[in-house]
Amino acid sequence: MNQTILVWLMFVFFVSTTSVTIVQAAGPTTEVYVVKYAENGTILHETTVTYQWMEANLPVYGDGVTHYYHQGAVFEGDKWDPNETRSYKDKGAVKGTDIRDMCDLAGGMSPGDDVMIRASDGYHVEFGYTNVYEPQSRQGVMVLSWYNGEDTKVGESQGVGYPPDYYTGMRLVFFSDNSTNLEKKHVFGVWDMHECLPEASQHFYELYPSTNGLSIKWVDELRIYRGGYTGEDVGPAKSLSTRISGGEEGVGSGEDADGENGVAGGKSTDGVAGGEGDSGGAGGSTGVGSLPGFGSIPVILGLLLVAYMGRTR
């Protein structure tokens, strides 16, 4: 009996000192909450719409055949890669709704306003009036995609059809024109981002520009802030993670997990990224050691263990 108690105490001591990742569930979304806030935080307008309603009542962008791409970090040569020569991230042959049309459902945006596009795992990015309402052709319309007509041939699978079969939907995709690269692909490249987005809206993987982190999946909220967003930049919580402790990061709504791992750049830099590609998340997970009250457990158990061993001598 004494040996059993000793083994049990040692086991509890080991578990209490081991970092365990708490994951926040996320996945394909089928509806979006659209809200507009006044400067004092008062709700001015709000509505919730499904992708079925959007398809039936708002203009549809995309034909389900043409593929659209974002660009990941470029590690060789010019990191801004103005000719879009590499690191394409295929988002599929998507169809969807213009973010502008969705904003108009809640009173629209005016110059000086920001819209937050937020995923169900907490990851979010913000854009100003010009990029939503007056986009350059090299940026393209900002589309919330709710249908994928053809899966990717290289890279992360997106799923085909509507959510949940389109299992990275609903997703933000920039419908950039095909004038920049020699392959005539619709790529929202890192140089497009440099030329079109203000610094506050640009995304970086470590020190390398990447538009891939702007293609958020599992979008479930659009928040319009009159006068601009002034809140904190919050990194995404972990979602569908395969990690318990240590090792590679799992799957979230921001950067991908099919490349190098490291700290995500851009506006949300307070977590560890899943890497460059299509499906990784960044930070936001909490280890047991950081939860309130858990830090003292190893000390208490250690004292109990010492006291018990003293009694058995």
Side-chain angles (χ1 to χ4, degrees), residues 1 8 17 22 37 46 65 79 126 141 148 164 167-168 181 198 201 226 233 255 258 283 285 295-296:
M1 177 65 69
W8 173 248
T17 57
I22 298 174
Y37 293 102
E46 61 180 337
V65 177
K79 68 180 182 180
E126 293 76 49
V141 174
N148 186 23
Y167 40 77
T168 62
N181 59 81
S201 295
R226 194 166 69 180
D233 296 324
E255 288 289 333
D258 64 354
S285 298
S296 61

Side-chain angles (χ1 to χ4, degrees), residues 8-28:
W8 173 248
L9 286 171
M10 293 177 67
F11 173 75
V12 174
F13 181 81
F14 170 77
V15 170
S16 68
T17 57
T18 301
S19 175
V20 178
T21 298
I22 298 174
V23 296
Q24 179 177 344

Side-chain angles (χ1 to χ4, degrees), residues 285-297:
S285 298
T286 306
V288 166
S290 64
L291 293 176
F294 276 81
S296 61
I297 286 180

Side-chain angles (χ1 to χ4, degrees), residues 230-309:
T230 58
E232 295 182 358
D233 296 324
V234 180
K238 294 292 291 302
S239 306
L240 304 181
S241 177
T242 58
R243 190 187 77 160
I244 298 300
S245 61
E248 294 185 353
E249 296 292 337
V251 178
S253 66
E255 288 289 333
D256 281 330
D258 64 354
E260 54 289 329
N261 294 295
V263 177
K267 300 195 69 176
S268 302
T269 59
D270 54 345
V272 180
E276 268 297 301
D278 292 320
S279 61
S285 298
T286 306
V288 166
S290 64
L291 293 176
F294 276 81
S296 61
I297 286 180
V299 176
I300 295 173
L301 289 176
L303 292 173
L304 289 173
L305 184 58
V306 170
Y308 172 77
M309 293 179 68

Side-chain angles (χ1 to χ4, degrees), residues 72-81 190 193-194 202-211 255 260-269 273 276:
V74 177
F75 298 102
E76 298 179 2
D78 186 348
K79 68 180 182 180
W80 288 103
D81 190 28
V190 294
M193 176 178 70
H194 180 277
Q202 294 179 18
H203 182 87
F204 290 80
Y205 172 75
E206 295 181 346
L207 298 178
Y208 294 88
S210 168
T211 67
E255 288 289 333
E260 54 289 329
N261 294 295
V263 177
K267 300 195 69 176
S268 302
T269 59
E276 268 297 301

